[in-house]
Amino acid sequence: MHMSLTPQAKLEMKELELKSLFETIRAINSNASEKDLYKIYKFILRAKPNITKLALFVYDESWECKAYFGTKKNYKDLTLDGKLLELTEISPVPFEATTFDEFNTVIPVKHKDQVLAYVLLGGASNQRDAYELEIEFVDALSNIIIVAIENKKLARKELRQRDYNKQLEIARNVQTLLFPKKLPYDHNLKVAASYLPHHTIGGDYYDFLDAGEGRYLMCIADVSGKGIPAAILMSNFQAALRILTRNGTPLDAIVNELNYLIFQNAQGENFITAFFALFDFNKRSLTFVNAGHNPPFLFINEHQQRLETGTTILGTFRELPFLEIGHIEDLKRFFVFCFTDGFTETYNEKGEEFGDEYLNKFLEEYKGEDQVELHERLISLLDTFKGDNAYADDITLLSCRVNFE
């Protein structure tokens, strides 16, 4: 039997609903937690005699049931039907949504054009007028609750972003300290470097260290991964390299120690490719190790070779499976050009890679130029080559011209 509400009953019902909305807003203003807001929501609607069952699904990375009552099923373990997700206005439950056939009505809760939640309702069949009035109230209450919870999520997200930005700033400052403040550039020893980070925090590193007794150690490296973990790993790498170099540690022992350090710190999540070159002015020699890095170009007079001798990438194995030291003696003068893969693996708009061959041709032609100008010309060339494509990785160039005479 269908029963209609009297005007007085409707008025009383509206007064109670208005009071409930005020209480909800008061709870929101007092900064009630999301959990408490869901409890308040469920408590208010359970007190409605004309609403016999309810399920509230909210999008929080995935659709989750945040509150339900009066149902035959446990909706905490169920996901929304695809047909329900198509709804953007208050509608009857689609007959195809058989999982939710114990409900009568679907109320999408929207903010602008985005649906934030779905309320599924069931009501007493003999109180149709009252049930339809309840739908309006549920819609209003749901909007107030869900928008308040969404604002809490946004506030948390902004707070996390501020914290993350602070961490980025710290990591960026730490990374800035990694690079040498000044590089030698005189008649016997000219070192030039260019660094273009792709992200706020890059994964490339270069250094040039005085190893004492007329010896100098040059290093270029690239850590896998980006962001703060990569920056921290690279800072540990730099600190260890400088201590080992200052202590006069032989090059093979330096590489082994760095490998073990990275393996211990990164636990297999990151690795580092690196190239090390030790110049000895007294012995007029070049000693080097390539640890899985892009082979640098070495020019001795008109002869050119790639420096590939060394070992595998650092940090993958507790102990390096092999290590070979490259050594060249009786040198008078030479030019070494190092780079990270971000340079040669830059693509143009046609999908073509810049590549080692293009770089090789350029260096053959311009290797005698002033190094600072050579770097600038190369970066300008790469920028023209890529066109409107974005750089995909950090780019580091490091070159050294040595005159032992």
Side-chain angles (χ1 to χ4, degrees), residues 286 296-300 303-307 328 334-336:
L286 165 65
F297 293 86
L298 171 67
F299 296 91
I300 303 174
H303 176 68
Q304 181 245 93
Q305 69 182 84
R306 303 295 296 274
L307 302 178
I328 304 174
F334 61 89
F335 176 59
V336 181

Side-chain angles (χ1 to χ4, degrees), residues 193-249:
S194 302
Y195 175 58
L196 301 175
H198 176 238
H199 298 280
T200 304
I201 303 174
D204 288 0
Y205 163 71
Y206 68 87
D207 215 337
F208 193 87
L209 306 170
D210 187 341
E213 299 179 349
R215 298 177 304 138
Y216 296 89
L217 180 66
M218 181 174 75
C219 174
I220 187 170
D222 186 0
V223 62
S224 67
K226 304 299 174 190
I228 294 170
I232 292 172
L233 183 62
M234 197 60 92
S235 67
N236 291 338
F237 175 91
Q238 182 240 38
L241 175 62
R242 291 190 173 184
I243 291 170
L244 291 166
T245 302
R246 189 166 59 244
N247 290 343
T249 308

Side-chain angles (χ1 to χ4, degrees), residues 182-199:
K182 188 177 180 181
L183 295 170
Y185 209 77
D186 55 36
H187 174 69
N188 293 324
L189 185 60
K190 293 182 178 180
V191 183
S194 302
Y195 175 58
L196 301 175
H198 176 238
H199 298 280

Side-chain angles (χ1 to χ4, degrees), residues 55-310:
L56 171 67
F57 283 85
V58 180
Y59 189 80
D60 191 4
E61 296 185 358
S62 62
W63 288 102
E64 298 178 17
C65 183
K66 298 293 187 179
Y68 72 99
F69 62 80
T71 59
K72 298 175 184 176
K73 299 172 185 173
N74 179 353
Y75 285 91
K76 284 284 186 184
D77 301 326
L78 298 178
T79 56
L80 283 181
D81 188 278
K83 285 293 179 181
L84 293 176
L85 296 175
E86 296 174 7
L87 301 177
T88 57
E89 303 294 337
I90 298 175
S91 311
V93 173
F95 69 88
E96 299 96 336
T98 53
T99 305
F100 304 93
D101 56 5
E102 60 180 303
F103 299 103
N104 309 121
T105 309
V106 183
I107 304 174
V109 181
K110 295 190 294 183
H111 178 62
K112 296 180 179 179
D113 294 329
Q114 183 182 4
V115 178
L116 303 177
Y118 285 95
V119 185
L120 298 158
L121 286 181
S125 58
N126 63 340
Q127 294 287 346
R128 196 65 201 167
D129 286 355
Y131 176 66
E132 289 175 359
L133 287 173
E134 301 286 26
I135 290 174
E136 295 178 14
F137 173 70
V138 173
D139 186 27
L141 179 65
S142 300
N143 272 277
I144 290 171
I145 291 282
I146 297 302
V147 169
I149 288 172
E150 188 67 18
N151 287 338
K152 284 179 175 290
K153 291 179 187 176
L154 290 173
R156 283 201 305 272
K157 186 177 180 181
E158 289 175 4
L159 186 61
R160 285 197 300 269
Q161 187 62 46
R162 282 200 298 272
D163 289 342
Y164 181 67
N165 289 340
K166 286 180 183 177
Q167 293 178 41
L168 281 180
E169 184 65 27
I170 293 169
R172 184 166 57 245
N173 292 337
V174 168
Q175 189 178 45
T176 301
L177 297 174
L178 294 181
F179 301 112
K181 292 181 175 61
K182 188 177 180 181
L183 295 170
Y185 209 77
D186 55 36
H187 174 69
N188 293 324
L189 185 60
K190 293 182 178 180
V191 183
S194 302
Y195 175 58
L196 301 175
H198 176 238
H199 298 280
T200 304
I201 303 174
D204 288 0
Y205 163 71
Y206 68 87
D207 215 337
F208 193 87
L209 306 170
D210 187 341
E213 299 179 349
R215 298 177 304 138
Y216 296 89
L217 180 66
M218 181 174 75
C219 174
I220 187 170
D222 186 0
V223 62
S224 67
K226 304 299 174 190
I228 294 170
I232 292 172
L233 183 62
M234 197 60 92
S235 67
N236 291 338
F237 175 91
Q238 182 240 38
L241 175 62
R242 291 190 173 184
I243 291 170
L244 291 166
T245 302
R246 189 166 59 244
N247 290 343
T249 308
L251 186 56
D252 59 341
I254 287 176
V255 176
N256 276 309
E257 285 293 326
L258 290 174
N259 174 72
Y260 183 73
L261 171 75
I262 298 162
F263 180 82
Q264 287 291 98
N265 289 352
Q267 296 294 312
E269 293 182 9
N270 297 91
F271 60 85
I272 290 178
T273 69
F275 174 80
F276 308 88
L278 184 67
F279 313 130
D280 192 323
F281 274 77
N282 295 321
K283 296 180 179 179
R284 295 188 174 190
S285 66
L286 165 65
T287 305
F288 66 91
V289 171
N290 188 328
H293 197 76
N294 302 80
F297 293 86
L298 171 67
F299 296 91
I300 303 174
N301 297 324
E302 295 304 314
H303 176 68
Q304 181 245 93
Q305 69 182 84
R306 303 295 296 274
L307 302 178
E308 300 179 284
T309 303

